[in-house]
Amino acid sequence: MKTVYWLIKREFWEHRGGFFWAPVITSGVFLLLNLMGIVVAEVTGARNNFFGAFGSSDSMKLSDMVHSLDAHQMDLVGQGLDVAMMSASFLISVVFCFVVFFYCLGALYDDRRDRSILFWKSLPISNTQTVLSKVIAASVAAPFIAIVCGVLTGFAMLLLFAITLSLHGVGVWSLLTLAHPFHVIGFMLGSLPVYMLWSLPTVGWLMLCSSWARSKPFLWAVVIPVAVGVVLGWFHLLGVLELRADWYWREVLVRVLFSVFPGGWLQNAELVHIDHDPHAVIDFLSLSNSYSVLAKPNIWIGAAVGVAMLAGATWFRRWRDDS
Amino acid sequence: MNAVVTASGLSKHYNNTLALDNVSFTIQPGRIVGLIGPNGAGKTTVLKAILGLTDFQGQLNVLGLDPRTQRDKLMEQMCFIADVAVLPRWLRVREAVDFVANVHPRFNRAKCEAFLARTKLTPDQRVRQMSKGMIVQLHLALVMAIDARVLVLDEPTLGLDILYRKQFYQSLLEEYFDDNKTIIVTTHQVEEIEHILTDLMFIRDGKIVLDTDMEAVGERFAEVMVSADMAATARQLNPLDERQVFGKSIFLFDGVDHARLQALGEIRRPSVSDLFVATMKGTYA
């Protein structure tokens, strides 16, 4: 256990840039963009005399608006704030997804290429421990850091808006209480186990390629599933195969290449009502919705296949002899 | 004492080429064995087999364990330095020490730090900022602090200048090696290790062509400087090799009675490199 802990630490040392600095910088950029947006709004507002047109009554008006909200609208505002908070996490997720994808591709390949695998293999570490530590780094440690960054950025962004509006004399602090930050944090952290299971087929496939390929793991990882899809489609066109090609693309290729993107399991939920019903957002982004995917075989089959591919990666790690 | 390494009938194919051809040998504890051969002779394959890094046919027993199936356990008692390029470039000195200290049960941190204190390495330095010699110093500091029973060195001083090379072997001899440890080393810089070796193994085309200890080398092989008039007589004794120096011929004999050679001229113990060159004649032809 101690060895695995230090192996994970080792991964973090090597990939500090991807695991830590990438989400931090993304957060910074996100906040900066928001700030720039606010400045643009202020400048445009002042130039068009938007505020001046109403004299000093505009802020009154805004605060009046705030006060005149009925319960339903209050709900809407709250949901809006939740979504705004999540939007920071969404941007970080996109970056995080790339980081993890390429991390997995390089995890069992880079040290073979620079031959430092000989150093790691000169230590009493089993290949299972090595692969396990890399899986934990990719599907627990890295997303955890991304979530923490996302939450902090979300808070910072709400704060930024609150301060800006306060400068206009609008007491929005009360509005902020309409948001459900703890719900949002709970949802994101609580979804971590689901994410782990969900991402296993992609993590497994990428690491299998990483461990198996003698060169260019990225090409193999992408070309093989795409080629299989094309061949299946071709057979389907010939009428030889009953299998629908779109099923393959959706249920195999996407799962094998893109499941590191967080929230992929939410796709089946009904999103159409969100416009009308504020609770739809909170229902959609709820742990029960997240965990409902566990009732479907998809995630479990994917996880099992992922574990099998990781076992293959471990085997190749042991016997691939090219250093 | 039990042998540290026992190999019998070791064979290994790479596609169509035979890297090891039915090799058998034993290595006793407390020895420093030089495994010497031309490029592509199978040295590294032997080491990889011992380290459990490659599959092979035949029997191999290292410290009572099978390197194919019990590798993780074996590596607690065995260390290796493969060559200078092996430490990952992003690693810092501090991280390397921390990591090995926490994953290796036989690592002595104080010993490692004492060794590092005598170098110019600083804790925050990354491998990518080091010269080749410094990388080897770091690697050696890590390895020497591990109380292992077998140390395998595969071209450890490749690309180092003479100062680093001397220091490397000196540290090994003075501060690491003892009767309970065994060192197996391959190198092309034969002259530098010849005085520290206790055993010699020549490998050629996947076969062990010479397996002897250094004392026996002096008894078995002899280098004789013969004046021109005696050269014909010397040639009749089937010398391994003949070369000309200052109008005299130097002959290398294998297993010829020293009393008979005495009559031809002055006898010397051949250097390992001369022996090597004579044994490997025609390898690349």
Side-chain angles (χ1 to χ4, degrees):
Chain A
M1 215 44 235
K2 187 180 161 205
T3 303
V4 172
Y5 168 77
W6 280 92
L7 279 167
I8 296 170
K9 213 161 166 167
R10 187 216 89 100
E11 294 303 315
F12 190 77
W13 287 336
E14 184 178 358
H15 298 278
R16 206 178 272 127
F19 287 170
F20 181 72
W21 289 112
V24 167
I25 290 170
T26 313
S27 305
V29 169
F30 183 80
L31 289 176
L32 189 71
L33 285 177
N34 273 301
L35 195 66
M36 283 159 70
I38 290 170
V39 170
V40 166
E42 291 287 321
V43 170
T44 335
R47 190 176 295 149
N48 297 340
N49 218 3
F50 174 74
F51 297 120
F54 298 95
S56 58
S57 63
D58 70 295
S59 38
M60 282 287 291
K61 218 171 169 245
L62 256 175
S63 25
D64 284 348
M65 263 170 62
V66 169
H67 288 300
S68 63
L69 292 176
D70 62 25
H72 179 73
Q73 286 167 321
M74 295 280 248
D75 262 359
L76 270 179
V77 170
Q79 306 293 351
L81 289 172
D82 287 348
V83 171
M85 205 177 146
M86 299 272 272
S87 66
S89 295
F90 179 78
L91 193 68
I92 291 171
S93 298
V94 174
V95 173
F96 160 84
C97 164
F98 279 100
V99 168
V100 168
F101 186 94
F102 287 100
Y103 166 75
C104 291
L105 263 185
L108 300 167
Y109 173 74
D110 290 348
D111 57 1
R112 289 191 295 137
R113 193 184 47 190
D114 69 11
R115 298 187 74 219
S116 62
I117 185 174
L118 289 177
F119 173 67
W120 305 115
K121 281 201 167 188
S122 75
L123 297 166
I125 300 165
S126 72
N127 297 291
T128 316
Q129 286 173 323
T130 304
V131 173
L132 181 70
S133 72
K134 286 169 193 273
V135 172
I136 293 175
S139 56
V140 182
F144 182 78
I145 295 170
I147 288 170
V148 170
C149 277
V151 168
L152 292 179
T153 313
F155 274 124
M157 191 186 72
L158 291 187
L159 211 63
L160 201 65
F161 282 124
I163 291 169
T164 313
L165 287 176
S166 318
L167 292 178
H168 288 284
V170 185
V172 283
W173 295 101
S174 57
L175 273 188
L176 289 187
T177 57
L178 295 174
H180 313 80
F182 293 105
H183 174 89
V184 171
I185 297 170
F187 165 72
M188 292 200 286
L189 281 178
S191 296
L192 199 54
V194 182
Y195 175 75
M196 218 190 115
L197 284 173
W198 181 259
S199 65
L200 265 173
T202 301
V203 171
W205 168 248
L206 295 178
M207 286 202 184
L208 181 65
C209 290
S210 176
S211 182
W212 163 79
R214 285 187 197 278
S215 66
K216 303 190 179 55
F218 175 78
L219 220 55
W220 290 112
V222 174
V223 163
I224 293 176
V226 170
V228 169
V230 169
V231 170
L232 283 180
W234 185 66
F235 275 123
H236 182 63
L237 286 179
L238 285 181
V240 185
L241 206 65
E242 281 303 304
L243 190 71
R244 289 162 52 100
D246 62 332
W247 175 86
Y248 170 83
W249 294 104
R250 196 178 62 244
E251 298 294 333
V252 180
L253 186 125
V254 167
R255 290 286 276 128
V256 137
L257 287 182
F258 300 112
S259 297
V260 284
F261 195 86
W265 60 89
L266 294 171
Q267 61 191 352
N268 300 325
E270 296 283 319
L271 259 174
V272 278
H273 303 298
I274 282 185
D275 287 345
H276 315 292
D277 178 10
H279 286 285
V281 178
I282 215 133
D283 287 346
F284 177 65
L285 299 174
S286 71
L287 278 181
S288 56
N289 185 25
S290 224
Y291 277 83
S292 67
V293 73
L294 296 182
K296 295 178 186 145
N298 180 328
I299 190 168
W300 295 107
I301 295 170
V305 172
V307 168
M309 289 191 287
L310 287 171
T314 311
W315 190 87
F316 280 117
R317 178 79 176 174
R318 172 73 183 88
W319 292 112
R320 199 45 131 186
D321 176 23
D322 53 5
S323 49
Chain B
M1 267 234 233
N2 286 334
V4 170
V5 182
T6 312
S8 58
L10 225 55
S11 292
K12 167 84 187 172
H13 299 261
Y14 285 111
N15 297 326
N16 291 324
T17 53
L18 194 61
L20 285 183
D21 185 5
N22 204 18
V23 167
S24 302
F25 59 89
T26 59
I27 293 173
Q28 298 298 329
R31 315 295 292 183
I32 302 181
V33 184
L35 184 64
I36 296 161
N39 293 333
K43 296 178 305 251
T44 302
T45 310
V46 171
L47 296 189
K48 274 174 144 182
I50 291 174
L51 292 165
L53 290 172
T54 188
D55 205 2
F56 53 83
Q57 289 94 50
Q59 298 295 314
L60 182 60
N61 180 308
V62 184
L63 298 170
L65 301 166
D66 185 336
R68 280 172 293 194
T69 53
Q70 296 166 293
R71 177 163 201 285
D72 307 334
K73 215 172 149 196
L74 186 60
M75 291 321 291
E76 283 184 19
Q77 317 234 39
M78 192 151 69
C79 282
F80 76 97
I81 299 183
D83 74 31
V84 288
V86 128
L87 288 178
R89 290 170 52 74
W90 50 266
L91 194 68
R92 291 176 196 271
V93 174
R94 178 168 38 83
E95 294 168 344
V97 177
D98 276 350
F99 185 79
V100 180
N102 283 287
V103 301
H104 208 301
R106 300 166 77 96
F107 183 79
N108 180 340
R109 192 181 188 120
K111 209 173 162 185
C112 181
E113 279 165 357
F115 191 83
L116 286 174
R118 298 207 306 264
T119 66
K120 283 187 176 172
L121 297 167
T122 54
D124 281 325
Q125 206 166 8
R126 286 179 194 271
V127 169
R128 73 163 76 93
Q129 300 160 332
M130 299 177 193
S131 70
K132 275 186 166 187
M134 292 163 100
I135 298 174
V136 174
Q137 281 182 329
L138 171 59
H139 206 162
L140 191 64
L142 293 171
V143 163
M144 291 208 333
I146 295 171
D147 182 27
R149 287 169 65 193
V150 181
L151 173 62
V152 173
L153 303 170
D154 186 6
E155 295 287 0
T157 55
L158 199 72
L160 298 193
D161 67 36
I162 182 94
L163 296 175
Y164 278 123
R165 293 205 300 262
K166 290 276 181 203
Q167 188 202 36
F168 180 88
Y169 288 113
Q170 201 179 340
S171 307
L172 267 188
L173 266 193
E174 289 173 4
E175 289 166 62
Y176 183 77
F177 183 66
D178 62 39
D179 288 348
N180 300 316
K181 293 187 162 74
T182 306
I183 299 179
I184 307 171
V185 52
T186 75
T187 181
H188 286 114
Q189 277 135 356
V190 190
E191 313 81 37
E192 277 164 41
I193 58 160
E194 104 166 76
H195 60 282
I196 70 166
L197 294 182
T198 64
D199 291 79
L200 198 55
M201 267 162 67
F202 281 178
I203 185 166
R204 177 181 179 173
D205 298 333
K207 293 192 179 73
I208 305 275
V209 291
L210 179 73
D211 182 2
T212 176
D213 64 65
M214 288 302 278
E215 282 140 46
V217 168
E219 290 159 20
R220 181 175 156 186
F221 295 95
E223 202 174 65
V224 191
M225 195 177 268
V226 182
S227 54
D229 52 320
M230 300 286 280
T233 329
R235 277 184 203 115
Q236 284 170 358
L237 294 172
N238 265 333
L240 273 179
D241 187 39
E242 175 186 348
R243 62 204 156 95
Q244 312 290 328
V245 180
F246 303 130
K248 288 190 164 186
S249 300
I250 296 177
F251 289 95
L252 183 67
F253 292 102
D254 176 7
V256 178
D257 186 15
H258 281 207
R260 288 179 69 185
L261 298 177
Q262 216 98 51
L264 297 171
E266 186 193 344
I267 296 184
R268 286 187 314 187
R269 194 179 104 158
S271 72
V272 172
S273 38
D274 286 339
L275 200 58
F276 177 75
V277 171
T279 315
M280 301 298 161
K281 235 186 316 183
T283 303
Y284 298 132

